[in-house]
Amino acid sequence: MAAPAPTPSPRRTVLGRLPLPERNYLTDALRTETVGGMILLVAAVAALVWANAFGSHYAAVSDFHFGPSSLGLNLSVGHWAADGLLAIFFFVAGVELKRELVAGELRDPKAAALPVVAALCGMAVPAVVYTVVALTGGGSTDGWAVPTATDIAFALAVLAVIGTSLPNALRAFLLTLAVVDDLLAILIIAVFFTEKINFMALTGAFVGLAVFYLLLRAKVRGWYVYVPLAVAIWGLMYNSGIHATIAGVAMGLMLRCTRHDDESHSPGERIEHLIRPISAGVAVPLFALFSAGVSLSGGALANVFTRPETLGVVLGLVVGKTIGIFGGTWLVTRFTRAELNKDLAWADIFAVASLAGIGFTVSLLIGELAFVGDDGTINEVKAAVLIGSLTAAVFSGILLRLRVRKYRMLHEAEELDEDANGVPDVYEQDDPEYHLRMAAIHETKAAEHRRLARLAGAASSKPDSPA
């Protein structure tokens, strides 16, 4: 008798339901980022108004220098915002990345393949689009990295403005994409925008990082220990010639993000919870205030679509990001024989991919680094980043609004908690206690309806009751 045919293994689902701890972390993180994104949006508008209505005053404040010259830190306000405040942003990015690697979506290589490949393609394709446009138009290829970044805070602010309740799977995909995106952006800054290295200062920074690591492993506590040490590491990294934000991500990666049995939160999660509001609500908006102030005169806006460098930035963000992320996602599902979550459609992936074309904060930073010393080009590249990000926001907003009814239905189903125990019902379907609680709830409701039926029947039998 022939042996029975082997049962085919079930196909892996991509963008499926998140584990409950991951869902709770995502909800908390995105709430803070959404509020920060709204503040960021206000800061960007304020910068544009300030720079165009009071241009000389804006330039005077941005160029005002302060800091100890003896330590090589007599910097302008704009420089402090880009190198100092963004170190806080990249510290949070480092903690996020560490957590994703040890406890989140990137822990499982199979699950990590989707956001990693999508992020890689979402950075490679915009770089190629920019380079092709620049070479075709005879422009500079120095800005190839400008359209490669995604600004998660600005993207979430757009979602808040248009009122789209994305399902948790898509929100997690967007956040994980941004985390990998931030890591790759950090590598780009470190590798391609470091010209001269002061090895003595760099050695001092590494020594400081080693001390930071040893103190963490010795479980030494106290902000008064770590904050001065972090500032010293940052200063040494700045003077080494490597962009100072690298110090932030290095320290973030050193924090422990796994929980011990007696912990409800890891040290990394606790510190991230404390620092994220400062990053999202103060550091990044202040950076935007002193970086997004570009002249939007008619000539400057016209140049965005005539200069190959600026046109490459716009097309890289709007077209390159969308094609890269969507194509990378399709490739992963095609070659791993995975299947898309049945509640979602490829149109949803395309919409989220277009939303990732909002490349504000890091794109502005890379634009300054790519064309350092050429203020005119920097101003026009910043204008291109703003126009490209705005175009991506409008385009993705239209696509997402087309599916808003479906998203709200899925979101409400994911958040439904009929037994009011703080855990969404979709996570309790295999728990017998949940079904017993629900049975008791329905029995109570049934008894109440029977009582109301008796009252209604008694009322209808009275002589003066309406026929």
Side-chain angles (χ1 to χ4, degrees):
M1 185 175 65
T7 304
S9 57
R11 298 179 68 183
R12 187 172 61 84
T13 301
V14 297
L15 300 182
R17 184 186 305 150
L18 300 175
L20 183 60
E22 189 71 11
R23 174 260 181 198
N24 292 338
Y25 168 81
L26 176 78
T27 300
D28 182 60
L30 294 188
R31 184 183 301 114
T32 303
E33 291 289 354
T34 301
V35 174
M38 301 301 290
I39 299 173
L40 176 63
L41 188 59
V42 172
V45 173
L48 290 172
V49 172
W50 188 7
N52 286 275
F54 309 97
S56 59
H57 184 261
Y58 179 85
V61 174
S62 297
D63 294 337
F64 178 76
H65 282 64
F66 67 96
S69 300
S70 58
L71 299 178
L73 295 175
N74 184 27
L75 310 177
S76 68
V77 171
H79 212 156
W80 277 110
D83 287 74
L85 292 177
L86 278 195
I88 300 174
F89 166 79
F90 279 110
F91 173 81
V92 174
V95 179
E96 287 180 335
L97 177 62
K98 178 68 173 291
R99 187 197 164 278
E100 289 289 335
L101 289 170
V102 300
E105 289 290 294
L106 302 181
R107 177 181 56 179
D108 177 8
K110 291 183 179 179
L114 177 61
V116 170
V117 172
L120 285 169
C121 293
M123 296 187 82
V125 176
V128 170
V129 169
Y130 174 93
T131 303
V132 169
V133 173
L135 290 176
T136 302
S140 170
T141 59
D142 291 345
W144 64 269
V146 175
T148 60
T150 293
D151 193 310
I152 183 64
F154 230 135
L156 292 173
V158 170
L159 291 178
V161 169
I162 65 177
T164 299
S165 299
L166 274 185
N168 284 330
L170 287 177
R171 287 150 59 93
F173 177 56
L174 183 61
L175 179 61
T176 309
L177 263 178
V179 170
V180 179
D181 196 300
D182 287 340
L183 169 65
L184 296 175
I186 291 163
L187 292 175
I188 287 173
I189 291 171
V191 173
F192 295 99
F193 297 105
T194 299
E195 296 181 357
K196 296 180 180 179
I197 297 179
N198 182 331
F199 287 99
M200 184 174 294
L202 184 60
T203 300
F206 281 141
V207 170
L209 289 171
V211 172
F212 188 88
Y213 177 83
L214 292 174
L215 290 173
L216 288 173
R217 293 301 169 267
K219 298 182 179 180
V220 174
R221 296 192 176 189
W223 63 268
Y224 46 85
V225 175
Y226 290 102
V227 171
L229 178 59
V231 171
I233 293 170
W234 174 87
L236 288 165
M237 189 67 76
Y238 175 83
N239 281 288
S240 74
I242 295 176
H243 202 270
T245 53
I246 305 300
V249 74
M251 287 183 278
L253 286 169
M254 290 182 182
L255 295 179
R256 176 170 63 82
C257 293
T258 52
R259 301 176 186 177
H260 291 165
D261 293 338
D262 59 342
E263 293 178 330
S264 58
H265 296 90
S266 68
E269 290 172 323
R270 288 198 301 270
I271 293 173
E272 181 190 8
H273 183 74
L274 292 173
I275 302 298
R276 185 188 287 275
I278 299 174
S279 170
V282 179
V284 174
L286 281 177
F287 165 76
L289 183 64
F290 292 105
S291 291
V294 299
S295 173
L296 295 179
S297 63
L301 290 176
N303 287 341
V304 168
F305 298 98
T306 56
R307 284 194 62 174
E309 296 90 347
T310 49
L311 181 60
V313 170
V314 174
L315 293 179
L317 289 171
V318 178
V319 179
K321 272 287 184 183
T322 304
I323 294 175
I325 293 173
F326 181 82
T329 305
W330 182 85
L331 288 173
V332 169
T333 57
R334 173 69 176 82
F335 289 102
T336 62
R337 298 184 178 276
E339 60 182 2
L340 188 65
N341 183 346
K342 60 181 178 61
D343 291 327
L344 302 175
W346 282 105
D348 302 318
I349 309 300
F350 189 84
V352 170
S354 65
L355 182 65
I358 301 174
F360 187 71
T361 305
V362 180
S363 289
L364 291 176
L365 174 62
I366 295 177
E368 293 180 352
L369 297 174
F371 298 100
V372 63
D374 187 349
D375 293 340
T377 300
I378 289 175
N379 189 73
E380 292 181 358
V381 166
K382 287 183 177 182
V385 170
L386 294 175
I387 291 173
S389 296
L390 178 61
T391 304
V394 172
F395 180 54
S396 61
I398 294 171
L399 295 178
L400 291 168
R401 288 296 295 179
L402 294 176
R403 296 270 291 170
V404 66
R405 187 173 298 178
K406 175 70 172 178
Y407 293 152
R408 286 177 179 166
M409 183 180 68
L410 291 174
H411 185 71
E412 289 170 2
E414 289 175 344
E415 300 300 315
L416 183 64
D417 182 18
E418 283 193 282
D419 59 345
N421 70 335
V423 178
D425 295 343
V426 292
Y427 291 99
E428 298 187 288
Q429 297 304 308
D430 295 329
D431 181 6
E433 294 298 322
Y434 161 75
H435 294 288
L436 292 175
R437 288 194 300 272
M438 290 305 301
I441 290 171
H442 288 301
E443 286 165 3
T444 301
K445 288 182 178 179
E448 176 64 12
H449 282 293
R450 283 192 289 268
R451 185 184 71 81
L452 294 174
R454 288 194 297 270
L455 292 175
S460 64
S461 65
K462 290 181 181 180
D464 58 347
S465 63

